[in-house]
Structures are given as C-alpha cells and as structure tokens.
Amino acid sequence: DSGVTQTPKHLITATGQRVTLRCSPRSGDLSVYWYQQSLDQGLQFLIQYYNGEERAKGNILERFSAQQFPDLHSELNLSSLELGDSALYFCASSVPGASDNTIYFGEGSWLTVV
Amino acid sequence: GNSVTQMEGPVTLSEEAFLTINCTYTATGYPSLFWYVQYPGEGLQLLLKATKADDKGSNKGFEATYRKETTSFHLEKGSVQVSDSAVYFCALSSSDQFYFGTGTSLTVIP
C-alpha cells in the first residue's frame, strides 16, 4: 500500500459526460501528480500541484482540469468525454525538496467511456 | 532537457534466465534514478532507486547501478521468476519533476 488513495476505482460513463476523479496523497506529501495511461500512449504526465498551486503542466487537454484543496487532496475533472479518453488515470504524490524525493502512485481509476 | 530512454519490449524469458532492461537518461544537474514495476491490473510500485552516481539500488533480487559516465541505469536480475512478469518503468527525478520511460513489458514463462 503506497498510501495514495484514489476513488473511484472503476467508472463507466457515456460520451459527452463529465466525471471527477479524486486523490488523497500520502500523509505529509505536498505535491500531487496526475498521469494518464492508455494502451497506445503509455504513461502521460498531465499536471502537478504543489501545496494548492499548479506547479507543472504536461499533456493535459483543455477539457480536463485539476485542483488541489487546502487539505491537499486533489481532483481531476474530465469533461465532454470522448471514447479516446478511456484510460487508467493515476495520481501520485511526493515530498518535494527532499534529497531522495520519490513519487508514490495510487492504484488508479479506470475510466471507460462508451 | 530531461528524458529517459528504455529498451523496447516486449521481452520474453524462460524462468531462471538472466534479465537486463536497458535504460539511459539525459538530464541537467544531478538527477535521482528509479525503477518502477507495474503488475497486471495494478498501479506503479517503486522497485528501487539511486540518488547519486555509483549508487546501487537493489530490491527483490533486482539491482541497478547509477552510471554517470554512461548516463545509464540498467535493471538486472540474475534469475527471473514467473511472478516477475510485469511492466518495468525507468524514471528520473530532477527539481521535483519526474520523467518516465515508455515501459518494458516482461513475460517470464515456466
């Protein structure tokens, strides 16, 4: 158990809909990262938050947004869903600034768009 | 910029064979290097890491040495088991950013 909790574990929704994925980082971790893993594109970095502020942005679509709340949990919002958004979405967390900074992953949220 | 290149898969080995998965990196500064493993249907788990040149990370019989002169962090295991079948990701960390390779799928057959 990495200590990173993601909900829901599985989600099936229709095209055009909106979903929210939730992540609770490990205790004490200030940074949260979101990744998308699909069969044809591997592991894609979406976005990073540090203590409530956006820190880095990767290949995140404009239809997607995220935020990190004062209690450090994070949500990834996916809207106007398309079939191609079906993927495994990972949240990860770390303690930035540590000399041996390590990123720990949750179990992921499986999203199926039908 | 920072990037990680790891050998293409899939890799298929017989049980008790020797495993090497190559990983090279490009980085500014002094990155930390990692190997993560993803078993079927699960998230990525930290397998081992090394934080400075010449460090050797090891875990569960796997090991990798941080080679600054060749910018490499190859994963090795002397005798693989069926339970090692998974996808392996090489990664680097620099300035709180993490960069992952594309993953190498390993299948070990009895």
Side-chain angles (χ1 to χ4, degrees):
Chain A
D1 182 3
S2 67
V4 179
T5 304
Q6 289 188 246
T7 58
K9 293 194 185 307
H10 299 274
L11 189 58
I12 301 175
T13 190
T15 55
Q17 295 298 305
R18 171 190 168 96
V19 299
T20 297
L21 309 180
R22 181 189 168 98
C23 169
S24 293
R26 294 189 326 149
S27 177
D29 284 1
L30 299 179
S31 267
V32 169
Y33 307 75
W34 285 98
Y35 290 84
Q36 179 193 58
Q37 186 178 40
S38 55
L39 285 176
D40 58 347
Q41 292 195 357
L43 192 65
Q44 298 289 320
F45 168 64
L46 297 178
I47 197 163
Q48 178 198 0
Y49 278 82
Y50 170 70
N51 204 19
E53 299 290 326
E54 183 182 302
R55 182 77 169 255
K57 184 176 282 191
N59 301 319
I60 188 166
L61 300 172
E62 286 191 9
R63 300 183 286 108
F64 296 179
S65 65
Q67 55 184 325
Q68 186 179 27
F69 295 87
D71 67 352
L72 301 179
H73 92 271
S74 178
E75 294 181 354
L76 178 66
N77 300 296
L78 315 175
S79 61
S80 302
L81 285 167
E82 302 175 358
L83 295 178
D85 297 327
S86 295
L88 184 54
Y89 290 84
F90 286 112
C91 172
S93 71
S94 74
V95 181
S99 60
D100 62 344
N101 190 19
T102 300
I103 190 171
Y104 294 92
F105 285 80
E107 292 293 310
S109 293
W110 282 96
L111 173 65
T112 302
V113 182
V114 297
Chain B
N2 298 310
S3 66
V4 173
T5 302
Q6 63 181 103
M7 70 185 270
E8 296 281 333
V11 174
T12 302
L13 294 173
S14 297
E15 203 164 24
E16 299 183 1
F18 184 86
L19 168 70
T20 299
I21 301 178
N22 291 335
C23 172
T24 57
Y25 68 90
T26 302
T28 55
Y30 303 94
S32 294
L33 300 174
F34 307 83
W35 278 100
Y36 284 82
V37 58
Q38 184 179 27
Y39 298 104
E42 299 184 12
L44 278 73
Q45 303 173 23
L46 177 66
L47 181 59
L48 53 84
K49 67 180 182 182
T51 58
K52 61 183 187 297
D54 299 324
D55 268 2
K56 177 184 284 187
S58 61
N59 186 25
K60 299 182 181 179
F62 291 90
E63 58 182 35
T65 301
Y66 188 163
R67 302 285 190 200
K68 189 168 173 62
E69 64 276 12
T70 55
T71 62
S72 65
F73 193 55
H74 304 320
L75 182 68
E76 296 182 336
K77 187 175 185 182
S79 176
V80 294
Q81 305 300 311
V82 171
S83 58
D84 294 326
S85 297
V87 179
Y88 293 82
F89 292 88
C90 184
L92 75 81
S93 167
S94 179
S95 301
D96 295 331
Q97 299 301 306
F98 291 84
Y99 304 84
F100 286 83
T102 54
T104 301
S105 175
L106 169 66
T107 301
V108 180
I109 55 177

